[in-house]
Amino acid sequence: MAKWGEGDPRWIVEARPDGTNVNNWHWTEKNASHWSNDRLKQLLVGLTFDIDLANVRTTELSKCDGEATVNNRKAKLIFFYEWDVSVKWTGRHKDSDEDITGSIQVPNLSDENDADDLDITVSCKSNSKESSEVRQMMQRMAIPKVRNQLASYVRELKEEYGKDMILPTNKGSSSPAAKPSAAPSPAAPAAKSVPGAAPASSGASSSASSVSTSRVQEKCEFQAAPEDVFNVFVDKERTQAFTRGSAQLEPTPGGKFTLLGGNVEGNFVELVRNEKIVQKWRMNTWPSGHYSTVTLLFTSSPNGCLLKLKQDNVPTSSLESTKEGWHRYYFESIKMTFGFGAALM
């Protein structure tokens, strides 16, 4: 670490009593999922639509699956949110004494979609003439109102969870760059905490040859056949499912891959069907041009498949976050997504 008044300004700590995250250089993350669930319920339940044809009211947030996080990196806020939402509604047609019920579904509320791009559908449980008329009314009236409510959620998320993420700099004020960024485009989605997401240390230069490196070796047992686990890493749809982000894969020697909109990239070096994958692999936060070598070995085990991971040339500054990332965002996510943690039948 540099002495006070010397060296890299990112590491000058005398301006903050606690000496933490000076100038907002390090990656910090705040979980906004619980707040989001509550806020979406408040915004979407209790909406009323009263006209001469019918009186309708939303009654329940029946589905709210997903997550939301706010990240601060180099005094720049990055918002990640992804929700699959469903709201129940009930109403009564003026010419009927029976209650009519249905739901409003929003499967793609995420940082990759503006409010106008959301897929919002209105469904109705019955098929009577009155029900059809009420559903058509809801399509005209409810969809625009729900879009506005969801736009409010996004705005409030950025205001509520962005205000405390940027710490004062060593000059006593927030960094000029500390403004909430717009929702990332599909080409550059919000960077969840994934393997290697920690920034390179101040002692590492941008030259790949000068990076201090270490090795990661991990094992994970999946209750699935080796070929099923192998396919998770080479099939685009499966990869996008467990990473919950966009991916491009060319699973042939020399073929390129990008995960999470380019936050992870590299190329395939060797593939032995259902047995072995070797990749040149890097995070886009690593020094320019620096790649690690990932070797994945798939072998049969009494419970299904034993996956052995070896990753060489990992920047030492990213070693612990890389280990954690493989377990949390690869191994555990694969088990949860595909049920590979359940007993084989």
Side-chain angles (χ1 to χ4, degrees):
M1 177 178 289
K3 296 180 180 179
W4 285 1
E6 298 180 7
D8 193 328
R10 293 173 294 181
W11 299 100
I12 298 175
V13 300
E14 73 270 26
R16 284 184 59 83
D18 56 4
T20 58
N21 205 16
V22 178
N23 293 331
N24 301 282
W25 181 259
H26 295 295
W27 183 282
T28 57
E29 180 175 290
K30 185 185 292 186
N31 191 320
S33 297
H34 182 74
W35 176 88
S36 295
N37 198 303
D38 289 344
R39 190 60 184 135
L40 286 169
K41 182 177 181 180
Q42 294 169 359
L43 289 168
L44 297 177
V45 175
L47 300 178
T48 57
F49 308 92
D50 298 329
I51 59 173
D52 292 339
L53 176 68
N55 296 320
V56 180
R57 181 175 182 270
T58 57
T59 59
E60 179 186 349
L61 184 65
S62 56
K63 182 179 183 181
C64 191
D65 295 339
E67 62 179 320
T69 59
V70 183
N71 305 288
N72 168 23
R73 175 72 168 99
K74 298 181 182 179
K76 179 181 180 181
L77 293 182
I78 303 173
F79 296 86
F80 171 81
Y81 53 94
E82 187 172 27
W83 295 100
D84 183 355
V85 176
S86 183
V87 184
K88 291 184 178 180
W89 58 265
T90 184
R92 182 168 293 184
H93 193 281
K94 66 175 184 178
D95 296 331
S96 175
D97 294 330
E98 296 183 1
D99 288 336
I100 300 171
T101 60
S103 63
I104 303 170
Q105 297 90 27
V106 188
N108 64 334
L109 173 60
S110 74
D111 50 88
E112 296 186 358
N113 298 307
D114 293 330
D116 291 339
D117 297 326
L118 297 176
D119 296 328
I120 304 177
T121 58
V122 177
S123 62
C124 186
K125 287 188 175 181
S126 57
N127 297 317
S128 66
K129 176 184 177 183
E130 291 80 6
S131 298
S132 178
E133 291 178 350
V134 172
R135 183 180 64 82
Q136 291 175 15
M137 180 204 79
M138 289 291 287
Q139 287 179 322
R140 292 193 306 271
M141 298 182 62
I143 290 179
K145 193 165 187 176
V146 168
R147 286 191 194 279
N148 289 336
Q149 295 297 89
L150 295 178
S152 296
Y153 157 73
V154 174
R155 182 178 64 255
E156 292 174 18
L157 170 67
K158 295 180 178 181
E159 293 174 353
E160 178 71 18
Y161 274 80
K163 61 185 179 183
D164 297 326
M165 289 291 287
I166 303 297
L167 300 176
T169 67
N170 58 353
K171 294 183 180 180
S173 61
S174 297
S175 167
K179 296 180 181 179
S181 65
S185 67
K192 294 190 294 185
S193 299
V194 293
S201 70
S202 61
S205 76
S206 60
S207 171
S209 62
S210 64
V211 178
S212 173
T213 64
S214 301
R215 170 183 287 183
V216 171
Q217 286 186 293
E218 301 292 332
K219 296 180 181 179
C220 185
E221 191 166 28
F222 297 91
Q223 294 177 343
E227 54 266 30
D228 292 330
V229 182
F230 180 93
N231 286 333
V232 166
F233 290 88
V234 298
D235 180 80
K236 178 180 177 180
E237 298 302 323
R238 289 182 174 90
T239 299
Q240 291 184 149
F242 84 82
T243 61
R244 303 186 66 181
S246 61
Q248 295 296 326
L249 298 177
E250 300 173 20
T252 58
K256 296 181 180 181
F257 67 85
T258 61
L259 309 180
L260 299 168
N263 287 302
V264 175
E265 62 181 2
N267 61 279
F268 291 92
V269 177
E270 180 183 358
L271 296 99
V272 179
R273 189 69 188 173
N274 303 331
E275 296 180 7
K276 182 180 181 181
I277 297 175
V278 181
Q279 299 172 328
K280 291 297 183 183
W281 190 101
R282 64 172 268 106
M283 281 289 302
N284 67 1
T285 55
W286 288 3
S288 177
H290 183 85
Y291 285 81
S292 65
T293 299
V294 171
T295 301
L296 302 171
L297 298 177
F298 307 82
T299 59
S300 296
S301 69
N303 290 323
C305 173
L306 177 64
L307 172 60
K308 296 181 180 180
L309 162 74
K310 182 177 73 171
Q311 186 173 13
D312 290 317
N313 297 323
V314 176
T316 302
S317 58
S318 297
L319 183 63
E320 293 305 317
S321 61
T322 300
K323 290 179 180 178
E324 179 185 359
W326 278 107
H327 282 278
R328 182 177 178 184
Y329 297 105
Y330 279 72
F331 302 158
E332 295 305 320
S333 183
I334 289 171
K335 289 181 179 181
M336 293 178 62
T337 301
F338 303 105
F340 290 173
L344 291 173
M345 302 299 293

